Amino acid sequence: MLHSTFGNASVSPKYSEITSVVGKEPPSGLELASCVDASQAPVTVGCFPFPLDPAGADPTGVDVASRPDVLVRTADVGINQLRVLPSLRAILPVIDASFAHGAAAYPTDELHLPVRSREALAEALSELRPMIERLRTLPASIWASTDPRLLLLARLSVRERPLQPRRDPRVPETVRFPDEAIFPGLGLMAERLADQGFLRRVFFDRLTVCPRCASARLSLRELCCSCHSADLKEQAIIHHLRCSAQAPEQDFRQGSRLVCPHCRRDLEYFSVDYDRPGSVLVCGACGHASSDSAVGYVCLDCAAEGDAEQTSTRPVWSYELTEAGRCQVLSGFPLPEADGRPIRERVAAFLAKAKTSREPACILVARLHRGARPARDWEQVCGLFGHVFAETFTIDTETIASPPIFLAFLQGDSKEDVVAELPRIRQALESLLRDPPEADYGVYGLEDVEPLLAGAAG
Amino acid sequence: MGGLAETLGTSWRLLWELPGWSVIALFWLTFVAELPRYFLGVQATAAMLLFRERRRHGPIGPLPRVSILLAGHNEEDAIEKCVRSLRQQTFNDFEIICVDDGSTDATFEIMKRLRREGLVEAAIRLDLRGSKPSALNLAASVARGDVFVVVDCDCSFEPNAIEELLRPLAEDPALAGVAGNILVRNWRKSIVSSLQGIEYLVSISLGKAYADVLGQVACISGAFGAFRRRPWMRVHGMDTGGGEDFDFTVRLRMAGYKVAFARHSICYTDVPDTLYALLRQRHRWERDTFWVRMRKYKRLFNPFRQGFRWTETLHQWDFVLFNLLPTVVFPFYVTWLVTTYGGFGIVLLGSVSIFLLSFDVLFFCCALLVSGHFRYWRLLAFVPLFGPFQSYLMRLDRLYAFATEWIFSRSLRDNYTPQKIRDWATWK
Ligand SMILES: [Zn+2]
Ligand SMILES: [Zn+2]
Ligand SMILES: [Zn+2]
């Protein structure tokens, strides 16, 4: 434990609070100074890489009481390589003092020290002070929790910031959450928390993605609408006013001169002899000419090619903590189980429930066919269908919308009843849609559910 | 009533007492202009009915690639319907090239959508409005077919119209162009359009069929016709200056090409339904005709010119004898008749009209037979109006057009006038 005084005038003494160090001793030049400021509790700093447990036997052995307030990275080691409690990893702010790869190397770090000095560190700590105050108010149960969802909420709550995606051309999705380094599978987790009301989706961007591999690393370019070559060149249209010959420039071009292909006269004066009333895109591959062009994509990841209209789009959200999410963190209660369990689990749960109740039960499955619908239209149709689908059944009927598949768990109805009712159900569904999609319907009795489970998994 | 009967009686006696030469003097216009027209028409019909070609059905023979050229200016209401109806044709192995000639409405957006749907091969946008012939030239320059079909956006077609239009080209490799048969779509709209319904039947269905028998089809309408690429390119495409379709056909013929009329290939067009609109339209047409015939191709009258072709000279003289001359002389004739004979002159004109009416009826029935579109029989009720309508109203309008063209536009049509100014006149 190091104590020294901090007499530097450039740092307000109020914030240059002093610090106890857990674990490894800081490298020279970063001696942690202690400035006695009675109004503030001292900050505990953990410098890593460290064995928090000096014996190094139990990586999570550090007890919550002796946890540091801040972690300082002193060497080029990723946070995931730290053998600490998941809560520490998720919640504690990190100051990067490794000077290893610059700011880009550790995107989850809160601050990067510009120079190796006590002053810099003290300033960083004072900047992090509000965050430290907040994390000190977290209930003990949070520190003991291993539920990544709860820890994610706590992380956002302490930092008072949304979960913000960042553009990253190195991943096929082209955006990712920096926090994913700490929470693997963060995207899905955030979606479920949003469904449960703990996070609020805020629109970030919409990605155009490859219909085959969902990569957003697509190259879009204009194509010849006849042969789909990208070898297009824009050419002026020339109108010879005198003889009303009108054609793309190449028909007129003879070296540096323009000669009318019809009357063989030289075209000399623009707007007297001739006009350029428009332009065409001429294909170098097949010679086709048109003022408009097709737009095609090529996927940089799987090399799939096609018409841009066949691509799908996917919204990307950032997520804000809702009031419910904040309460959850402050209470420290465990999170309820999400209903975003995979379809498979929910089917299995329904099956178990139906078996115990001894009532007849079955599952109605609708599968929509996209056909040639453009992506936006398709999303709209799926959304609308899901809405109508859920409203078609009684209010306590559990339904799942997982486009293009929609399920309804029908308790109390036998398969035969539902099959007989199917035309009516179908009609009711489709009468509410202006442009109903093509759909298959299937009814599965309890004895059929096993193959369905296999299907849903696949 | 008694007075009228008396006048008629006197007139009748007077007519018989006149010496033979003066009867001819009285009726010379009828003898020179109208009778031959009717006579020839009836002959034509008879010829058509007698030597009626054994109409061929079934798919047409192998054809080179076909391109349909569609040029339009502010055609957002018509273009889509036109393209879709073309794609419904019995023969639809063709590409469609659309040119938007400087529209200010959504024409190009619609063309692009049709292109994305694959109904159209190319959609070309001109920001500056040119003229219809130059837009067609552009379409032809990017088209890849060896046969060009030119249609107007606001036409509709019989399902087999394109097939029938191309049939002569498939059968006769020497043909350079084929004119389609054009009928009136809005013939029930007003009396004016009904009268034009009769006129189109008589002058196109029957008149062109007759001209075709004689090898005298002088105009392939820009509203509906087909051309082979090679002749099109050889005569350097369409020219601007009004009457471009007629001018183009004449150039094809002068270059030695044959053109034909396909009477089973039927398209429908809307005609002006008010008298004012009709007179304006005809005024433009007649001026263009006059300009092309009497100025641009004046040399065709000369039988001693180089490369003389009697077929070209024939249709020029036909125009002068049966069109220009009666038009110019008619008002003088009527004036002379009325001033010389007073009331008797009017009775005379009336009886000539009644006499000609019987021909009109016969003529109309023949046209109906030749066209094969019997639903136009209702127009029979308007046939009595058709004669006076043609002889007086249309003839006066034509005279006015010829006169204005003769007097005023010598310089405007001059080849050294910047074409830009002229172009504006040629879109409606
Ligand atoms: Zn191409
Ligand atoms: Zn030229
Ligand atoms: Zn891909």
Side-chain angles (χ1 to χ4, degrees):
Chain A
M1 211 168 271
L2 282 170
H3 291 273
S4 63
T5 349
F6 218 102
N8 200 311
S10 71
V11 182
S12 152
K14 188 174 164 202
Y15 291 115
S16 54
E17 59 269 359
I18 285 323
T19 312
S20 56
V21 173
V22 190
K24 196 186 162 197
E25 297 207 348
S28 66
L30 270 184
E31 290 87 3
L32 296 162
S34 177
C35 169
V36 182
D37 180 353
S39 67
Q40 306 268 346
V43 174
T44 313
V45 171
C47 290
F48 69 91
F50 47 41
L52 278 176
D53 176 3
D58 179 8
T60 58
V62 72
D63 68 277
V64 169
S66 68
R67 62 160 180 80
D69 294 313
V70 179
L71 296 177
V72 176
R73 182 197 312 281
T74 57
D76 186 12
V77 171
I79 186 133
N80 282 353
Q81 286 157 275
L82 287 188
R83 310 178 70 192
V84 290
L85 284 171
S87 60
L88 300 190
R89 191 181 305 164
I91 298 170
L92 293 187
V94 175
I95 297 172
D96 177 29
S98 67
F99 307 101
H101 302 291
Y106 300 105
T108 53
D109 289 357
E110 256 62 45
L111 287 169
H112 298 269
L113 285 195
V115 287
R116 195 186 294 268
S117 75
R118 278 179 298 163
E119 290 84 346
L121 181 61
E123 205 169 333
L125 288 175
S126 69
E127 210 173 300
L128 292 179
R129 186 82 211 188
M131 204 184 284
I132 291 165
E133 293 303 332
R134 285 195 291 274
L135 69 85
R136 282 178 174 169
T137 63
L138 291 178
S141 56
I142 296 262
W143 295 105
S145 170
T146 54
D147 181 353
R149 297 175 302 147
L150 188 57
L151 295 179
L152 173 65
L153 297 182
R155 179 178 176 85
L156 298 180
S157 164
V158 162
R159 282 162 182 74
E160 288 196 329
R161 66 161 169 86
L163 185 57
Q164 189 73 22
R166 240 184 255 164
R167 304 214 181 261
D168 186 350
R170 290 168 301 181
V171 293
E173 298 79 34
T174 70
V175 286
R176 74 176 169 167
F177 295 98
D179 299 305
E180 199 153 8
I182 299 167
F183 302 96
L186 178 62
L188 204 63
M189 196 160 81
E191 273 299 297
R192 287 195 191 160
L193 288 169
D195 286 339
Q196 287 179 285
F198 296 116
L199 293 178
R200 181 185 309 114
R201 294 183 186 90
V202 177
F203 182 77
F204 174 76
D205 195 10
R206 182 169 285 277
L207 300 178
T208 303
V209 298
C210 170
R212 192 158 92 190
C213 74
S215 162
R217 293 193 285 208
L218 302 179
S219 164
L220 294 173
R221 62 267 192 270
E222 283 191 311
L223 299 181
C224 167
C225 38
S226 179
C227 75
H228 290 88
S229 158
D231 182 11
L232 287 184
K233 216 165 123 185
E234 184 156 9
Q235 279 198 27
I237 293 168
I238 290 189
H239 179 191
H240 188 202
L241 298 169
R242 188 183 192 115
C243 76
S244 47
Q246 191 165 224
E249 182 166 344
Q250 64 186 10
D251 294 9
F252 285 81
R253 179 63 61 192
Q254 285 191 8
S256 61
R257 296 187 307 152
L258 290 173
V259 178
C260 176
H262 285 180
C263 66
R264 301 272 148 223
R265 286 191 180 92
D266 270 36
L267 275 54
E268 289 182 51
Y269 304 106
F270 176 68
S271 134
V272 177
D273 279 353
Y274 66 97
D275 259 339
R276 293 174 190 269
S279 63
V280 279
L281 293 163
V282 179
C283 172
C286 74
H288 182 265
S290 189
S291 292
D292 75 327
S293 54
V295 176
Y297 73 89
V298 57
C299 174
L300 303 184
D301 284 296
C302 75
E305 278 188 55
D307 204 81
E309 282 177 19
Q310 297 159 356
T311 56
S312 331
T313 65
R314 186 169 76 77
V316 178
W317 310 100
S318 63
Y319 300 87
E320 281 174 358
L321 201 60
T322 60
E323 213 37 60
R326 209 177 310 280
C327 291
Q328 198 72 35
V329 172
L330 294 179
S331 71
F333 293 146
L335 282 180
E337 198 46 53
D339 232 10
R341 286 168 295 165
I343 296 177
R344 194 191 170 86
E345 280 175 35
R346 292 177 64 178
V347 170
F350 176 69
L351 186 67
K353 200 167 78 179
K355 273 186 179 158
T356 53
S357 77
R358 294 167 182 277
E359 266 186 313
C362 63
I363 300 175
L364 174 71
V365 180
R367 180 188 289 269
L368 305 191
H369 297 282
R370 178 170 173 180
R373 284 172 196 270
R376 202 177 326 152
D377 187 34
W378 170 238
E379 275 166 27
Q380 213 166 38
V381 163
C382 285
L384 219 57
F385 187 87
H387 200 70
V388 172
F389 189 78
E391 290 193 343
T392 304
F393 305 99
T394 51
I395 199 153
D396 48 345
T397 302
E398 190 185 354
T399 58
I400 301 180
S402 168
I405 302 171
F406 298 82
L407 296 92
F409 299 112
L410 303 169
Q411 187 103 39
D413 295 305
S414 73
K415 179 182 171 184
E416 289 69 30
D417 294 344
V418 176
V419 168
E421 279 291 287
L422 198 53
R424 218 179 49 80
I425 294 173
R426 194 177 175 140
Q427 211 247 324
L429 274 170
E430 289 174 2
S431 67
L432 290 169
L433 296 170
R434 194 168 52 86
D435 178 20
E438 224 179 285
D440 294 333
Y441 294 84
V443 183
Y444 299 86
L446 295 181
E447 64 285 358
D448 308 320
V449 163
E450 286 314 320
L452 177 75
L453 279 179
Chain B
M1 240 4 233
L4 178 63
E6 202 171 303
T7 317
L8 284 175
T10 322
S11 307
W12 186 248
R13 276 195 303 281
L14 186 62
L15 195 58
W16 283 112
E17 283 161 18
L18 286 172
W21 64 267
S22 54
V23 174
I24 291 175
L26 272 177
F27 291 116
W28 71 269
L29 189 64
T30 313
F31 284 133
V32 168
E34 281 162 346
L35 263 187
R37 192 187 101 202
Y38 286 85
F39 182 70
L40 293 177
V42 174
Q43 286 291 315
T45 317
M48 284 305 307
L49 295 178
L50 279 174
F51 309 109
R52 187 170 179 171
E53 89 279 58
R54 225 166 291 128
R55 186 176 169 188
R56 270 176 278 262
H57 293 279
I60 50 177
L63 261 177
R65 193 165 173 190
V66 177
S67 303
I68 294 189
L69 315 182
L70 260 181
H73 172 78
N74 287 351
E75 295 282 6
E76 64 180 2
D77 297 330
I79 180 87
E80 178 160 7
K81 220 163 106 189
C82 178
V83 167
R84 290 194 188 279
S85 79
L86 284 171
R87 286 295 175 198
Q88 300 289 314
Q89 285 281 312
T90 50
F91 175 91
N92 64 10
D93 181 20
F94 47 70
E95 58 168 18
I96 299 180
I97 310 290
C98 288
V99 175
D100 168 25
D101 198 16
S103 294
T104 51
D105 62 2
T107 303
F108 186 61
E109 306 310 312
I110 296 170
M111 286 178 178
K112 277 204 299 199
R113 180 160 53 74
L114 293 170
R115 211 276 308 145
R116 283 198 298 275
E117 282 181 46
L119 298 175
V120 156
E121 265 58 41
I124 298 177
R125 160 84 184 158
L126 295 171
D127 302 315
L128 277 180
R129 180 195 201 180
S131 60
K132 189 178 171 188
S134 58
L136 288 175
N137 284 339
L138 175 62
S141 82
V142 305
R144 288 184 286 186
D146 287 309
V147 170
F148 301 149
V149 174
V150 174
V151 300
D152 259 3
C153 292
D154 52 6
C155 285
S156 48
F157 307 92
E158 291 273 299
N160 62 349
I162 299 292
E163 185 173 11
E164 291 301 329
L165 185 69
L166 295 171
R167 190 183 294 278
L169 290 173
E171 286 168 0
D172 184 356
L175 271 184
V178 178
N181 195 353
I182 301 172
L183 295 177
V184 174
R185 181 170 48 200
N186 61 340
W187 57 284
R188 294 162 193 258
K189 188 97 186 274
S190 69
I191 294 182
V192 172
S193 64
S194 297
L195 288 172
Q196 289 173 89
I198 299 173
E199 185 192 9
Y200 275 60
L201 266 176
V202 164
S203 69
I204 299 184
S205 293
L206 184 59
K208 279 201 177 160
Y210 171 54
D212 193 33
V213 173
L214 297 179
Q216 285 286 311
V217 175
C219 178
I220 300 178
S221 164
F224 191 41
F227 305 88
R228 282 189 206 277
R229 169 189 282 271
R230 187 94 76 89
W232 175 297
M233 293 301 175
R234 237 191 87 191
V235 305
H236 306 317
M238 298 249 177
D239 204 349
T240 310
E244 70 277 352
D245 38 13
F246 170 59
D247 165 77
F248 185 61
T249 317
V250 170
R251 279 187 286 128
L252 283 177
R253 293 170 53 103
M254 279 164 54
Y257 291 109
K258 278 204 317 182
V259 297
F261 172 66
R263 67 187 169 95
H264 300 297
S265 165
I266 290 165
C267 97
Y268 298 92
T269 188
D270 281 340
V271 295
D273 53 16
T274 65
L275 191 57
Y276 176 71
L278 172 66
L279 291 179
R280 274 186 53 137
Q281 182 200 50
R282 291 308 163 90
H283 188 78
R284 205 180 67 239
W285 287 6
E286 300 293 356
R287 281 183 70 156
D288 288 342
T289 309
F290 187 85
W291 179 73
V292 174
R293 285 193 183 270
M294 304 308 288
R295 293 201 191 283
K296 197 166 180 179
Y297 295 112
K298 198 156 66 176
R299 63 181 187 283
L300 293 185
F301 287 110
N302 179 6
F304 305 108
R305 73 192 158 88
Q306 258 198 324
F308 167 77
R309 295 180 99 83
W310 70 270
T311 50
E312 302 317 301
T313 306
L314 191 69
H315 70 73
Q316 283 287 66
W317 281 108
D318 172 86
F319 170 74
V320 170
L321 281 180
F322 298 121
N323 193 328
L324 181 63
L325 196 65
T327 304
V328 173
V329 170
F330 186 70
F332 299 102
Y333 173 65
V334 170
T335 317
W336 171 75
L337 213 58
V338 174
T339 50
T340 314
Y341 297 96
F344 172 63
I346 295 170
V347 172
L348 215 57
L349 286 172
S351 42
V352 167
S353 291
I354 292 167
F355 170 67
L356 290 179
L357 171 62
S358 56
F359 282 89
D360 278 334
V361 171
L362 178 66
F363 210 51
F364 174 75
C365 295
C366 292
L368 212 54
L369 275 178
V370 169
S371 78
H373 282 256
F374 300 110
R375 65 204 164 84
Y376 286 103
W377 71 268
R378 285 163 216 264
L379 285 172
L380 193 61
F382 294 94
V383 171
L385 280 176
F386 182 63
F389 168 74
Q390 285 283 36
S391 312
Y392 294 91
L393 201 60
M394 289 293 99
R395 204 172 257 170
L396 276 177
D397 186 50
R398 193 177 305 145
L399 180 66
Y400 175 57
F402 288 172
T404 44
E405 181 64 31
W406 179 265
I407 297 164
F408 295 116
S409 54
R410 191 185 287 265
S411 61
L412 187 68
R413 301 271 196 177
D414 191 284
N415 260 339
Y416 296 98
T417 313
Q419 199 98 19
K420 269 188 173 176
I421 298 167
R422 272 191 254 157
D423 288 350
W424 288 96
T426 51
W427 281 107
K428 276 169 264 183

